[in-house]
Amino acid sequence: MANMEKEYNLSKNQQIVFDIIEKSSEPVKAYSILFNVKKKGIKAPPQVYRALEKLIKLGKIHKVESKNAFVACKSSNCEVSKATAFSICEICEKVTEIANNKLSNFLNSFEDKSGMKYKKYNLEFFGLCKKCKKT
Amino acid sequence: MANMEKEYNLSKNQQIVFDIIEKSSEPVKAYSILFNVKKKGIKAPPQVYRALEKLIKLGKIHKVESKNAFVACKSSNCEVSKATAFSICEICEKVTEIANNKLSNFLNSFEDKSGMKYKKYNLEFFGLCKKCKKT
DNA sequence: AACACTATGTAATAATATAACGTTTGAAAG
DNA sequence: CTTTCAAACGTTATATTATTACATAGTGTT
């Protein structure tokens, strides 16, 4: 019920692309999406990239810049994407979105030397996940 | 004098590529570098990418992921690149490396819910620079 | 000299992303 | 309901970014 309206105003292609990303347990690349939606009638890169662009604007997905790949936003009703943080394992490449108030509060209120504040940021942490640390 | 040894052990191609990046006031793209070093005998992408890879490892340059472009490290004798933060203007696209102890201390000691710490991060802030804010 | 390691040169191609067009659709205003 | 406008769509072509693969050359060590 809570997320009934979540995908309300997505267009056909946007919904198809979003479904692929949301179902994946790992970041999905644009051309992987393209390959997977050929059967649904999406045939060319611009169709995928346009959907991605819109989904990012809506905050429904994020781009993991260091991987050129896309993940669904897990934060509860993240309406508009402006502040993202990810944890990335350097071995298994697992990517997890970090939702941490202390972190986001700190970054949202960060001021540089010139007193400039930022309304938007993207942070990518690299390290070893639990599994990979053990081995 | 202080930076006499800075570029000591760079190979020929590494030095050529580094010079281009260091002289630029803005992030430089790989193919822009390639174009600019044709006259110096570097003719093919792998030559540039290999130099870039090495320079990143050495901490002499950083990649600005959201722009697929490279900047020289301005931090004083940054031997190895592991923690980077940039300020990016959304209008004029000016990129500045942020050197801020409060920020780096916070991020270096950050622990996520699972107690995981990270040895490396990349942070990109987006906003309007002073100039662009005025207009 | 033999070895390992790093760097180089080169051709080909893979992977990621956008430009440019014209058409269709769907919601809002008259 | 039909005009209008913006968003979304379909398609072709192309631009941009990055890597694979393989052969050669330099550099330092033992």
Side-chain angles (χ1 to χ4, degrees):
Chain A
M1 222 41 147
N3 56 2
M4 271 293 272
E5 78 280 297
K6 255 179 83 179
E7 288 133 46
Y8 228 77
N9 35 13
L10 296 187
S11 74
K12 179 174 136 277
N13 287 359
Q14 288 158 16
Q15 187 68 57
I16 291 170
V17 168
F18 181 67
D19 287 347
I20 295 275
I21 297 172
E22 200 186 30
K23 274 170 196 150
S24 170
S25 61
E26 51 186 35
V28 198
K29 305 206 147 215
Y31 274 72
S32 153
I33 295 170
L34 178 56
F35 179 81
N36 280 291
V37 298
K38 284 262 166 80
K39 57 193 99 170
K40 303 216 173 181
I42 294 181
K43 290 172 186 159
Q47 295 174 292
V48 171
Y49 281 100
R50 284 192 292 233
L52 289 171
E53 186 181 20
K54 189 63 190 285
L55 291 167
I56 287 170
K57 249 184 212 148
L58 294 172
K60 304 195 72 66
I61 65 169
H62 305 302
K63 181 171 187 181
V64 182
E65 292 286 354
S66 64
K67 305 181 92 56
N68 295 318
F70 304 85
V71 295
C73 178
K74 296 297 197 305
S75 307
S76 55
N77 31 317
C78 172
E79 291 287 319
V80 170
S81 168
K82 58 183 214 324
T84 55
F86 299 100
S87 141
I88 303 175
C89 176
E90 288 181 304
I91 293 181
C92 74
E93 312 227 295
K94 183 172 167 50
V95 174
T96 313
E97 187 169 359
I98 297 177
N100 181 299
N101 285 333
K102 213 176 135 204
L103 178 62
S104 57
N105 288 340
F106 181 86
L107 293 174
N108 279 316
S109 61
F110 175 76
E111 278 186 27
D112 69 16
K113 284 170 193 161
S114 70
M116 178 170 168
K117 279 186 151 191
Y118 302 90
K119 58 185 180 196
K120 202 174 145 199
Y121 64 78
N122 178 55
L123 171 59
E124 299 183 8
F125 277 116
F126 301 89
L128 301 184
C129 72
K130 276 184 179 172
K131 265 187 197 167
C132 292
K133 203 173 285 178
K134 286 178 195 163
T135 65
Chain B
M1 225 34 148
N3 56 3
M4 272 293 273
E5 79 279 297
K6 255 179 82 180
E7 289 133 44
Y8 230 75
N9 36 15
L10 295 186
S11 75
K12 180 174 134 274
N13 287 358
Q14 288 157 18
Q15 187 68 57
I16 291 169
V17 169
F18 180 67
D19 286 347
I20 295 276
I21 297 172
E22 200 186 31
K23 273 168 197 150
S24 171
S25 62
E26 51 185 35
V28 198
K29 304 208 149 215
Y31 274 72
S32 154
I33 293 169
L34 178 56
F35 179 80
N36 279 291
V37 297
K38 283 263 167 79
K39 57 194 99 168
K40 303 218 173 181
I42 294 181
K43 291 170 186 160
Q47 296 174 292
V48 172
Y49 281 101
R50 284 192 294 233
L52 290 171
E53 186 180 21
K54 188 63 189 287
L55 291 167
I56 287 171
K57 250 184 210 147
L58 295 173
K60 302 194 76 65
I61 64 169
H62 305 302
K63 180 171 186 180
V64 182
E65 292 286 354
S66 65
K67 303 181 94 57
N68 297 317
F70 304 85
V71 295
C73 177
K74 296 296 197 306
S75 307
S76 55
N77 30 317
C78 172
E79 290 287 317
V80 171
S81 166
K82 57 183 215 322
T84 54
F86 299 100
S87 142
I88 303 174
C89 176
E90 288 181 305
I91 292 182
C92 73
E93 312 227 296
K94 184 172 166 50
V95 174
T96 312
E97 186 169 358
I98 298 177
N100 181 297
N101 284 333
K102 213 176 136 204
L103 178 62
S104 58
N105 288 339
F106 182 88
L107 293 175
N108 279 316
S109 62
F110 176 76
E111 279 186 27
D112 67 17
K113 283 172 192 160
S114 70
M116 179 170 168
K117 278 186 151 190
Y118 302 90
K119 59 184 180 198
K120 202 176 145 197
Y121 63 77
N122 178 55
L123 171 59
E124 299 182 6
F125 277 116
F126 301 88
L128 301 186
C129 73
K130 276 184 180 172
K131 263 188 199 165
C132 292
K133 201 174 287 178
K134 285 178 196 161
T135 64

